[in-house]
Structures are given as C-alpha cells and as structure tokens.
Amino acid sequence: MKPGPVFVLNGSNLNLLGQREPHIYGHETLADVEAMCRRAAQELGLAVEFRQTNAEHQLIDWIQEARATAGGIVINPAGLTSTSIAVLDALLICQCPIVEVHISNIYRRESFRHHSYVSHAATGVICGCGTHGYVLALQHLARLIGKSEDRA
Ligand code: CA2
C-alpha cells in the first residue's frame, strides 16, 4: 500500500525565518525551505504536507491528523520543543516514524534550549545542519518508510 504523505510541521516564529537572526538560522525563508523539501520529496518518491503555525493547539491538531494519515513526521517545534508536554503527548500516540529537526545546534546555545520534550517521542533528531536538516530528515524517513513497505 502507498504510504501517506510526510507531514513537515513547523512551530512558533519559524514564519520569520530569513528575516531575523541570519547568523543563527541563515538567510533562507520558510518558503525556500518548503521548496527544498518539495524537491527532495519528489526525488525520494514521497508526498509532503508542509505547514507552519504559531499556535500550540494547531500543531497538536496537525499531529493528530498526521497520526491518522501520515507515513512519517518531520517536526521542528521551535520554542515549543522545550516547553510543551502537550506536543509530546500528541507525538507519543503516533505510530509513524518521527524526525525532530532544529536548524541551529541547540547544544551550542543557551542551556534552556538543550532540553527537548519532543525527543522522547522522536525516532531521530537532527540539529545544527541548517535547513539541510529537513532534507536529511526526509531522506531518513524515505529509508524507514521504504523498509516498512518491503515488509508489508
Ligand atoms: O534551531 C531551531 O530550528 C530552533 O528550533 C528554532 C527555534 C528555537 O526556539 C529552538 O531553540 C531552536 C526558534 C524559531 C524562531 O525562528 C526565528 C527565525 C527567525 C528570526 C527569529 C526567530
């Protein structure tokens, strides 16, 4: 059976990517990241749902939607990474593979960024690879989804 789309979910303030703090997050906008993900997904034979929200409840609703329909999840929860047990709880009940992405290396930054609730539910974590981390996440999910398809 064809796997569902990979949901690429982005949390709070990532709509400002490329407009502020380029020394940390680079010059690419979120629209650039979306285009990059779409190109990578096409090459990997994946469909993507690319979304961003500043609202915690919206992110949770999308994770619940992904639980029902997605082949995998790429998530950059942004500031909610270190604060949201509710986002963690939503991810914990998803059965599909989950890759947590951070553009910056959170471990080289302030200590409050070092703890991620989301990592408790993540299959894998990519951080510090810039926006290329999204492509790496999609490549990894393509491998995992392909493997589970082989077994089906
Ligand atoms: O490195 C990442 O991807 C982060 O998830 C980004 C979050 C931050 O809270 C995490 O610790 C690490 C912040 C996203 C806010 O994005 C902005 C983009 C441009 C300008 C200002 C904020």
Side-chain angles (χ1 to χ4, degrees), residues 12-14 16-21 25 76-79 81-82 101-106 109 113 134:
S12 26
N13 297 305
L14 283 165
L16 298 178
L17 206 63
Q19 297 176 33
R20 304 279 299 274
E21 304 192 275
Y25 301 114
N76 183 348
T81 307
S82 309
V101 171
H102 300 285
I103 296 167
S104 63
N105 180 353
I106 54 176
R109 301 184 63 194
R113 296 184 197 278
Y134 287 80

Short mmCIF file of all heavy atoms in Angstrom, two decimals, residues 12-14 16-21 25 76-79 81-82 101-106 109 113 134, ligand 1:
data_model
loop_
_atom_site.label_atom_id
_atom_site.label_comp_id
_atom_site.label_asym_id
_atom_site.label_seq_id
_atom_site.Cartn_x
_atom_site.Cartn_y
_atom_site.Cartn_z
N SER A 12 6.37 27.69 16.35
CA SER A 12 6.28 29.13 16.56
C SER A 12 7.47 29.94 16.05
O SER A 12 8.62 29.58 16.26
CB SER A 12 6.11 29.40 18.07
OG SER A 12 6.66 28.35 18.83
N ASN A 13 7.15 31.01 15.38
CA ASN A 13 8.07 32.03 14.88
C ASN A 13 8.89 31.62 13.65
O ASN A 13 9.64 32.42 13.11
CB ASN A 13 9.02 32.51 16.00
CG ASN A 13 8.27 33.18 17.13
OD1 ASN A 13 7.52 34.12 16.89
ND2 ASN A 13 8.41 32.68 18.34
N LEU A 14 8.74 30.38 13.22
CA LEU A 14 9.52 29.96 12.05
C LEU A 14 9.04 30.63 10.77
O LEU A 14 9.74 30.61 9.76
CB LEU A 14 9.52 28.44 11.93
CG LEU A 14 10.49 27.76 12.92
CD1 LEU A 14 10.20 26.28 13.04
CD2 LEU A 14 11.95 27.99 12.53
N LEU A 16 9.18 33.60 10.45
CA LEU A 16 10.10 34.74 10.34
C LEU A 16 11.48 34.34 9.81
O LEU A 16 12.39 35.17 9.71
CB LEU A 16 10.28 35.42 11.70
CG LEU A 16 9.02 36.02 12.31
CD1 LEU A 16 9.32 36.61 13.67
CD2 LEU A 16 8.44 37.10 11.38
N LEU A 17 11.63 33.07 9.49
CA LEU A 17 12.93 32.57 9.03
C LEU A 17 13.45 33.43 7.87
O LEU A 17 12.70 33.77 6.96
CB LEU A 17 12.75 31.12 8.57
CG LEU A 17 13.97 30.22 8.63
CD1 LEU A 17 14.46 30.06 10.06
CD2 LEU A 17 13.63 28.85 8.04
N GLY A 18 14.73 33.76 7.93
CA GLY A 18 15.35 34.55 6.87
C GLY A 18 15.21 36.05 7.07
O GLY A 18 15.88 36.83 6.40
N GLN A 19 14.35 36.45 8.00
CA GLN A 19 14.11 37.88 8.21
C GLN A 19 14.86 38.42 9.41
O GLN A 19 15.10 39.62 9.51
CB GLN A 19 12.61 38.14 8.41
CG GLN A 19 11.78 37.77 7.20
CD GLN A 19 10.29 37.97 7.49
OE1 GLN A 19 9.92 38.86 8.24
NE2 GLN A 19 9.46 37.11 6.92
N ARG A 20 15.17 37.55 10.38
CA ARG A 20 15.85 37.96 11.61
C ARG A 20 16.90 36.91 11.95
O ARG A 20 16.79 35.76 11.55
CB ARG A 20 14.84 38.05 12.78
CG ARG A 20 13.66 38.98 12.54
CD ARG A 20 13.98 40.43 12.79
NE ARG A 20 14.39 40.65 14.17
CZ ARG A 20 13.56 40.89 15.17
NH1 ARG A 20 12.26 40.92 14.95
NH2 ARG A 20 14.00 41.08 16.40
N GLU A 21 17.91 37.32 12.68
CA GLU A 21 18.94 36.41 13.20
C GLU A 21 19.53 35.46 12.14
O GLU A 21 19.63 34.25 12.38
CB GLU A 21 18.38 35.60 14.37
CG GLU A 21 17.83 36.49 15.49
CD GLU A 21 17.55 35.73 16.77
OE1 GLU A 21 16.45 35.17 16.88
OE2 GLU A 21 18.43 35.70 17.63
N TYR A 25 20.12 31.33 11.99
CA TYR A 25 19.21 30.49 11.20
C TYR A 25 19.44 30.57 9.70
O TYR A 25 18.77 29.87 8.93
CB TYR A 25 17.76 30.87 11.51
CG TYR A 25 17.39 30.71 12.96
CD1 TYR A 25 17.08 31.81 13.76
CD2 TYR A 25 17.39 29.45 13.56
CE1 TYR A 25 16.76 31.67 15.11
CE2 TYR A 25 17.07 29.29 14.89
CZ TYR A 25 16.76 30.41 15.67
OH TYR A 25 16.44 30.24 17.00
N ASN A 76 9.83 20.50 13.43
CA ASN A 76 10.65 21.49 14.13
C ASN A 76 9.68 22.28 15.02
O ASN A 76 9.03 23.21 14.56
CB ASN A 76 11.36 22.42 13.15
CG ASN A 76 12.27 23.41 13.88
OD1 ASN A 76 12.20 23.54 15.10
ND2 ASN A 76 13.11 24.10 13.13
N PRO A 77 9.57 21.88 16.28
CA PRO A 77 8.57 22.52 17.14
C PRO A 77 9.01 23.91 17.61
O PRO A 77 8.27 24.58 18.33
CB PRO A 77 8.47 21.58 18.34
CG PRO A 77 9.34 20.40 18.02
CD PRO A 77 10.30 20.82 16.97
N ALA A 78 10.25 24.32 17.24
CA ALA A 78 10.79 25.63 17.63
C ALA A 78 10.73 25.79 19.16
O ALA A 78 11.09 24.86 19.88
CB ALA A 78 10.09 26.75 16.86
N GLY A 79 10.23 26.93 19.65
CA GLY A 79 10.24 27.17 21.10
C GLY A 79 9.43 26.16 21.89
O GLY A 79 9.68 25.94 23.08
N THR A 81 9.55 23.09 21.66
CA THR A 81 10.41 21.93 21.95
C THR A 81 10.67 21.79 23.44
O THR A 81 10.58 20.68 23.99
CB THR A 81 11.79 22.15 21.26
OG1 THR A 81 11.58 22.43 19.88
CG2 THR A 81 12.69 20.95 21.43
N SER A 82 11.00 22.90 24.07
CA SER A 82 11.47 22.88 25.46
C SER A 82 10.37 23.12 26.47
O SER A 82 10.63 23.13 27.68
CB SER A 82 12.54 23.96 25.65
OG SER A 82 13.52 23.84 24.67
N VAL A 101 13.70 18.09 13.98
CA VAL A 101 14.75 18.88 13.30
C VAL A 101 14.90 20.23 14.00
O VAL A 101 13.90 20.88 14.35
CB VAL A 101 14.37 19.13 11.81
CG1 VAL A 101 15.32 20.13 11.16
CG2 VAL A 101 14.39 17.83 11.03
N HIS A 102 16.15 20.63 14.20
CA HIS A 102 16.46 22.01 14.60
C HIS A 102 17.50 22.55 13.64
O HIS A 102 18.51 21.88 13.38
CB HIS A 102 16.96 22.07 16.04
CG HIS A 102 15.94 21.56 17.00
ND1 HIS A 102 14.83 22.31 17.32
CD2 HIS A 102 15.82 20.38 17.62
CE1 HIS A 102 14.08 21.59 18.15
NE2 HIS A 102 14.66 20.41 18.34
N ILE A 103 17.26 23.75 13.16
CA ILE A 103 18.17 24.36 12.19
C ILE A 103 19.52 24.65 12.87
O ILE A 103 20.58 24.37 12.31
CB ILE A 103 17.54 25.65 11.64
CG1 ILE A 103 16.26 25.31 10.87
CG2 ILE A 103 18.53 26.40 10.74
CD1 ILE A 103 15.38 26.52 10.56
N SER A 104 19.44 25.21 14.06
CA SER A 104 20.67 25.53 14.79
C SER A 104 21.07 24.35 15.68
O SER A 104 20.27 23.45 15.93
CB SER A 104 20.42 26.77 15.66
OG SER A 104 19.42 26.51 16.63
N ASN A 105 22.32 24.39 16.13
CA ASN A 105 22.78 23.38 17.09
C ASN A 105 22.38 23.84 18.48
O ASN A 105 23.04 24.68 19.09
CB ASN A 105 24.30 23.21 16.99
CG ASN A 105 24.80 22.17 17.97
OD1 ASN A 105 24.04 21.67 18.81
ND2 ASN A 105 26.07 21.83 17.88
N ILE A 106 21.27 23.29 18.96
CA ILE A 106 20.70 23.77 20.23
C ILE A 106 21.68 23.55 21.40
O ILE A 106 21.58 24.24 22.41
CB ILE A 106 19.32 23.12 20.53
CG1 ILE A 106 19.39 21.60 20.48
CG2 ILE A 106 18.26 23.65 19.57
CD1 ILE A 106 18.08 20.90 20.88
N ARG A 109 23.96 26.49 22.24
CA ARG A 109 23.22 27.71 22.57
C ARG A 109 22.86 27.73 24.07
O ARG A 109 23.40 26.98 24.85
CB ARG A 109 22.00 27.81 21.66
CG ARG A 109 22.40 27.84 20.17
CD ARG A 109 21.23 28.04 19.26
NE ARG A 109 20.61 29.33 19.49
CZ ARG A 109 19.40 29.68 19.03
NH1 ARG A 109 18.72 28.80 18.29
NH2 ARG A 109 18.89 30.86 19.27
N ARG A 113 17.69 25.75 25.92
CA ARG A 113 17.34 25.10 24.64
C ARG A 113 17.80 23.65 24.58
O ARG A 113 17.49 22.93 23.62
CB ARG A 113 17.97 25.86 23.46
CG ARG A 113 17.45 27.27 23.31
CD ARG A 113 18.03 27.94 22.08
NE ARG A 113 17.86 29.37 22.16
CZ ARG A 113 16.74 30.04 21.85
NH1 ARG A 113 15.69 29.38 21.40
NH2 ARG A 113 16.67 31.35 21.99
N TYR A 134 16.27 19.43 7.17
CA TYR A 134 14.95 18.98 6.70
C TYR A 134 15.10 17.92 5.60
O TYR A 134 14.36 16.94 5.56
CB TYR A 134 14.13 20.15 6.16
CG TYR A 134 13.58 21.10 7.20
CD1 TYR A 134 14.38 22.09 7.77
CD2 TYR A 134 12.26 21.03 7.61
CE1 TYR A 134 13.88 22.97 8.71
CE2 TYR A 134 11.73 21.91 8.54
CZ TYR A 134 12.55 22.87 9.10
OH TYR A 134 12.04 23.74 10.03
O1 CA2 B 1 17.18 25.80 15.62
C1 CA2 B 1 15.95 25.63 15.51
O2 CA2 B 1 15.41 25.21 14.49
C2 CA2 B 1 15.05 26.01 16.70
O3 CA2 B 1 14.00 25.01 16.76
C3 CA2 B 1 14.47 27.36 16.36
C4 CA2 B 1 13.62 27.93 17.49
C5 CA2 B 1 14.34 27.87 18.82
O4 CA2 B 1 13.45 28.28 19.86
C6 CA2 B 1 14.87 26.49 19.12
O5 CA2 B 1 15.59 26.53 20.35
C7 CA2 B 1 15.79 26.01 18.02
C8 CA2 B 1 13.25 29.40 17.20
C9 CA2 B 1 12.50 29.57 15.94
C10 CA2 B 1 12.28 31.05 15.75
O6 CA2 B 1 12.63 31.35 14.44
C11 CA2 B 1 13.08 32.58 14.16
C12 CA2 B 1 13.51 32.77 12.88
C13 CA2 B 1 14.00 33.98 12.53
C14 CA2 B 1 14.05 35.01 13.44
C15 CA2 B 1 13.60 34.82 14.71
C16 CA2 B 1 13.11 33.60 15.08
#
